[in-house]
Amino acid sequence: MLHPAIAHIVQQGVPMASIGVNNYLLTLPQTRQVLQALLRLQTAVLGGDVYLISDGQLICTYDNWYCEPHPHEIMENFAIRSNKVTEEKIKYFTKIHKPADALFALVIASKD
């Protein structure tokens, strides 16, 4: 379950239920808002997928990334590192795709 501060932003995204996925696609500004909130909450991003929206249709780019914790890495450090990895990947993908057309589905670590 997402922290309310994150859920509020994520639920403003595009639902992925139409393609059988229980997640939301976020715009670049929404993604950055979530990343900032995750840093404050010391929660890691495990990875993500990149989609495009064209004529109202979702298009999977098959671009994705992942980040795994290093052995013995504490959650705070993993959260910081995974956030940096995600920012780097987003910068890369927005060079390939128009930022206004790119949507991101984040996989967020559970705090359980």
Side-chain angles (χ1 to χ4, degrees), residues 14-66:
V14 177
M16 297 176 71
S18 66
I19 58 172
V21 178
N22 185 23
N23 201 350
Y24 290 84
L25 291 167
L26 306 173
T27 63
L28 183 57
Q30 290 169 331
T31 301
R32 291 211 164 111
Q33 284 181 319
V34 168
L35 291 176
Q36 289 172 359
L38 290 173
L39 271 179
R40 287 192 302 274
L41 296 168
Q42 298 180 349
T43 303
V45 178
L46 300 176
D49 298 295
V50 183
Y51 287 77
L52 298 177
I53 193 153
S54 178
D55 297 325
Q57 297 292 318
L58 291 179
I59 302 167
C60 181
T61 65
Y62 299 99
D63 291 322
N64 58 68
W65 73 97
Y66 69 94

Side-chain angles (χ1 to χ4, degrees), residues 34-102:
V34 168
L35 291 176
Q36 289 172 359
L38 290 173
L39 271 179
R40 287 192 302 274
L41 296 168
Q42 298 180 349
T43 303
V45 178
L46 300 176
D49 298 295
V50 183
Y51 287 77
L52 298 177
I53 193 153
S54 178
D55 297 325
Q57 297 292 318
L58 291 179
I59 302 167
C60 181
T61 65
Y62 299 99
D63 291 322
N64 58 68
W65 73 97
Y66 69 94
C67 188
E68 296 178 336
H70 295 313
H72 312 293
E73 184 175 32
I74 63 172
M75 182 51 80
E76 179 182 2
N77 291 345
F78 179 42
I80 292 167
R81 185 172 59 80
S82 71
N83 196 291
K84 287 179 183 177
V85 167
T86 299
E87 279 287 353
E88 289 170 8
K89 296 300 182 181
I90 287 171
K91 285 179 189 174
Y92 172 76
F93 294 131
T94 54
K95 287 181 182 177
I96 296 172
H97 309 292
K98 288 193 268 182
D101 295 338

